[in-house]
Amino acid sequence: MASIQRRAADLVFDNLHERIVSGALAPGDRVDPTEIAEELGVSRTPVREAILRLDSEGLVNRLPYRGVVVTGIDLRVAEEIAALRIHMETLATRLAVPRLRDSDLVTMREANERLSEAVRGEHPQRSFNELNRRFHMTLYERADSTVLLRTIENLSSQAERIRMHFDLTHSPAHQHHEVILDACERRDPDAAAAATRDHILAIHCLLKPDGYRIEPGSPLAVVLATAGLKLPDGSPALAEAGTDADR
């Protein structure tokens, strides 16, 4: 019985996860457990379990008087996600590049070649996310770290949901991927990691509103400082220490 319930919870989770990532469930939309259970033909128990998992991944909130709602886009959270992605994905890249197979490079190139065409198709965001995930995960899987891969997948799911609210028609991801792929083909882990970092940072900044800036001392600023970089506006990544009068 437990295994059947677990499979039902997995099916509900996959269904709701796809709706959120695809934009079918928009930020602020209410997720009614009773309606979901009736729609999918399951009891409320697996629905509750699925909602707990979605909550743990930051895709829904359980609010007093409103119930379960799809989370909105928090710019501070988006920045933290970008910081963690840079930290984790550059690590995975360094581990993976020496282990890459020729077949992996073929898969990555095919996914990237389809990317530009896909974003002009009928479901551009969904197609973009699928091909983008295939490109990156083909690389990261060669890191041979289950925990690292699981963490990256979790962060990627949240990044995908954020991207669902933006026009990706003119996304520079295809060009960024070419730089990453070139470094991978040369089996240069340092260059591949740097290209991955620059790709994540550039896409993050591209999706932010006018006037957005990375604050010195923020998680993203610290990650960039660790790599010896300044912020995109040229300011130092680390906040300067206060004077004695400030302390």
Side-chain angles (χ1 to χ4, degrees), residues 25-36:
L25 284 172
D29 282 355
R30 186 167 178 269
V31 180
D32 188 308
T34 301
E35 291 181 1
I36 296 298

Side-chain angles (χ1 to χ4, degrees), residues 6-20 36 40 46-47 49-57 59 157:
R6 168 51 53 195
R7 287 198 297 271
D10 289 342
L11 290 172
V12 175
F13 173 84
D14 291 342
N15 182 281
L16 292 177
H17 184 276
E18 171 61 23
R19 294 191 203 184
I20 293 171
I36 296 298
L40 299 181
V47 176
E49 291 183 9
I51 286 173
L52 287 174
R53 288 176 61 189
L54 292 168
D55 185 27
S56 70
E57 294 191 7
L59 297 177
S157 292

Side-chain angles (χ1 to χ4, degrees), residues 147-187:
V147 175
L148 181 58
L149 188 64
R150 186 184 305 124
T151 302
I152 289 173
E153 288 175 336
N154 188 343
L155 292 168
S156 295
S157 292
Q158 298 183 61
E160 285 176 358
R161 199 184 68 79
I162 292 172
R163 285 198 299 267
M164 295 304 299
H165 300 278
F166 298 91
D167 181 9
L168 299 173
T169 304
H170 303 293
S171 169
H174 178 270
Q175 294 91 326
H176 294 175
H177 289 176
E178 285 294 321
V179 179
I180 296 171
L181 188 54
D182 177 68
C184 288
E185 289 175 337
R186 290 185 283 108
R187 300 301 197 274

Side-chain angles (χ1 to χ4, degrees), residues 73 75 78 85 128 159-168 171-172 200-210 212:
I73 298 174
L75 293 180
R85 287 187 63 210
F128 178 94
E160 285 176 358
R161 199 184 68 79
I162 292 172
R163 285 198 299 267
M164 295 304 299
H165 300 278
F166 298 91
D167 181 9
L168 299 173
S171 169
I200 296 171
L201 177 62
I203 297 299
H204 169 73
C205 291
L206 183 67
L207 299 181
K208 300 302 104 185
D210 293 339
Y212 165 78

Side-chain angles (χ1 to χ4, degrees), residues 33 37 78-79 136 190 205 230 232:
E79 185 173 299
H136 288 287
D190 290 338
C205 291
K230 290 187 175 183

Side-chain angles (χ1 to χ4, degrees), residues 83-97:
L84 289 168
R85 287 187 63 210
I86 289 174
H87 188 65
M88 298 296 179
E89 293 182 36
T90 54
L91 171 60
T93 298
R94 291 182 189 278
L95 292 170
V97 168

